[in-house]
Amino acid sequence: DFMKQGHGMLLLYTLKNPSFPEYSFSSESGVMCLDFHSDHPHLLAVGFYDGNVAIYNLKRASPQPSYRSSAKSGKHTEPVWQVKWQKDDMDSNRNFFSVSSDGRIVSWTLVKNELVHMDVIKLSADETTMQGPEGLQLQTLGSGISFDFHKKIDYLFLVGTEEGKIYKCSKSYSSQFLDVFEAHHMAVDTVSWNPFHLKVFISCSSDWTVKIWDHTIKTPLFVYDLATAVGDVAWSPYSSTVFAAVTIDGQAHVFDLNVNKLEPLCSQLVVTRKKNKTTHVQFNPADPVIIVGDERGLITCLKLSPNLRKKPKEKKGQEVKKGPEEEIAKLEKLLSLVRQPGKKE
């Protein structure tokens, strides 16, 4: 409950025993987001409601985080909506980024025994100053709530804001962003690069829509209206054209653009209790499983039926091409239909 903030918890489960967590940690503030380090999965970066970030080390038996920000060390002044690990820096120090409603995107580096912070970017709205009382100039900040880093171009990342804009940013220009997309009418809840195609990203918003973009074009290539606010969207790790979205009416939707460009292959009710909203969705990186989280703190694990994870049919004597190049070509073919309208299919 945002009005009555209490304690937070961080629970780690295995699918082998869903009824009891393997690890549990309590925190003074509500946990907003987390990210496992891809090379060192025992390291977990966490962002809190009170603006702090912390790192838990699962190899240590301590209930306290190994590293934690503080008011002295640059903590955010608003909730941290997302944290993401980065590649180790030049001195092979581990580091991650955080984004918060306070408009700052901060990079945190583990140096010896402390977290060193650096503001990478401060989002400011286009009309940077407002006339305040008695002619005071007030600075207005855009408030970031989601971000994602490009899979190949190391310096490039996207930030979605509460105002519905998506900023394309570079780690090397802190005062300037490269581009702005007027993406949604309400907060951009998630923005995510396609894991295969290097130009494509997806965004979703409380304005009921999911949009697919090419970052070199200012208008979306595909727009899906899901008739209620969309909480989260995620690309599948196995196909460039498959993604899942969850809406606050408790439904999960799975799309495959290669099969149907217009509507989901499946929309299924996940939460049954009234007044409960589905808020998060994530694919398992190896198995055809998605997990969906909801507002009551329940996590539902769903297995995708075979027709939701169709692989290309193998014809006799013909080898089906597989691999990243194929996935890129598949999506590129769909995009080329949208990019140049008027061309015959």
Side-chain angles (χ1 to χ4, degrees):
D1 181 345
F2 268 59
M3 294 338 232
K4 302 195 291 276
Q5 276 303 310
H7 293 277
M9 282 205 91
L10 176 63
L11 301 178
L12 287 89
Y13 287 89
T14 165
L15 286 176
K16 293 174 183 161
N17 178 12
S19 53
F20 197 78
E22 297 284 298
Y23 294 90
S24 72
F25 300 97
S26 303
S27 61
E28 288 155 29
S29 177
V31 176
M32 304 295 292
C33 53
L34 46 83
D35 190 30
F36 281 103
H37 197 296
S38 55
D39 302 329
H40 314 283
H42 61 282
L43 291 179
L44 189 58
V46 177
F48 296 100
Y49 182 82
D50 64 6
N52 273 312
V53 294
I55 291 174
Y56 287 86
N57 183 342
L58 303 181
K59 287 185 172 172
R60 284 180 46 191
S62 156
Q64 291 306 315
S66 314
Y67 297 89
R68 188 187 167 91
S69 64
S70 66
K72 279 197 302 221
S73 66
K75 87 175 190 71
H76 290 282
T77 51
E78 296 272 328
V80 179
W81 290 103
Q82 222 174 339
V83 286
K84 277 229 162 77
W85 285 101
Q86 297 296 298
K87 286 196 188 84
D88 291 358
D89 67 10
M90 303 292 193
D91 308 323
S92 53
N93 289 322
R94 298 190 185 139
N95 64 99
F96 67 95
F97 277 51
S98 61
V99 63
S100 158
S101 323
D102 65 4
R104 290 163 62 219
I105 288 160
V106 180
S107 122
W108 303 89
T109 310
L110 307 190
V111 183
K112 295 186 180 129
N113 299 327
E114 56 176 340
L115 271 181
V116 177
H117 79 284
M118 188 183 87
D119 284 15
V120 181
I121 219 159
K122 276 197 169 74
L123 297 174
S124 57
D126 302 334
E127 312 75 44
T128 30
T129 46
M130 285 178 350
Q131 281 305 120
E134 298 172 15
L136 282 173
Q137 300 283 313
L138 299 176
Q139 188 94 13
T140 58
L141 282 182
S143 40
I145 53 173
S146 56
F147 66 166
D148 195 23
F149 291 86
H150 197 279
K151 311 282 182 270
K152 287 278 186 289
I153 310 172
D154 196 40
Y155 61 83
L156 192 64
F157 64 100
L158 298 166
V159 182
T161 66
E162 270 175 34
E163 297 78 38
K165 292 186 169 68
I166 293 174
Y167 293 95
K168 185 161 91 178
C169 306
S170 159
K171 291 184 192 173
S172 18
Y173 301 108
S174 57
S175 53
Q176 207 56 45
F177 18 88
L178 309 175
D179 214 339
V180 176
F181 300 89
E182 299 288 341
H184 292 279
H185 303 304
M186 290 171 79
V188 182
D189 293 314
T190 304
V191 58
S192 171
W193 290 101
N194 186 288
F196 297 97
H197 196 296
L198 299 180
K199 278 187 171 176
V200 177
F201 67 90
I202 197 166
S203 64
C204 75
S205 163
S206 317
D207 70 0
W208 299 11
T209 59
V210 170
K211 298 184 181 183
I212 295 178
W213 306 77
D214 173 325
H215 80 84
T216 57
I217 300 174
K218 294 296 277 274
T219 51
L221 304 170
F222 293 98
V223 177
Y224 298 98
D225 185 332
L226 297 181
T228 176
V230 186
D232 194 10
V233 67
W235 290 108
S236 89
Y238 54 81
S239 165
S240 62
T241 54
V242 174
F243 64 90
V246 289
T247 43
I248 62 166
D249 57 358
Q251 294 201 62
H253 310 266
V254 178
F255 287 78
D256 185 347
L257 305 180
N258 208 25
V259 180
N260 186 340
K261 295 198 284 292
L262 305 173
E263 48 195 34
L265 298 185
C266 163
S267 292
Q268 184 171 320
L269 199 62
V270 179
V271 302
T272 42
R273 294 174 68 174
K274 286 221 159 50
K275 290 190 179 160
N276 192 357
K277 301 170 178 165
T278 35
T279 52
H280 279 290
V281 61
Q282 195 88 74
F283 278 85
N284 179 303
D287 300 307
V289 168
I290 59 173
I291 52 173
V292 175
D294 67 35
E295 224 174 29
R296 300 255 160 138
L298 296 175
I299 293 168
T300 311
C301 182
L302 304 159
K303 187 171 176 184
L304 299 178
S305 63
N307 60 346
L308 290 181
R309 47 175 200 259
K310 279 193 179 116
K311 297 278 185 281
K313 283 203 177 97
E314 304 209 11
K315 293 186 183 136
K316 257 193 177 158
Q318 278 186 328
E319 203 177 308
V320 173
K321 292 178 182 158
K322 289 184 182 135
E325 290 76 21
E326 253 338 271
E327 290 299 336
I328 293 169
K330 193 165 76 174
L331 185 52
E332 187 53 49
K333 189 175 157 192
L334 287 168
L335 298 181
S336 61
L337 303 177
V338 194
R339 280 194 192 119
Q340 298 149 323
K343 269 197 162 181
K344 288 186 179 152
E345 285 198 15

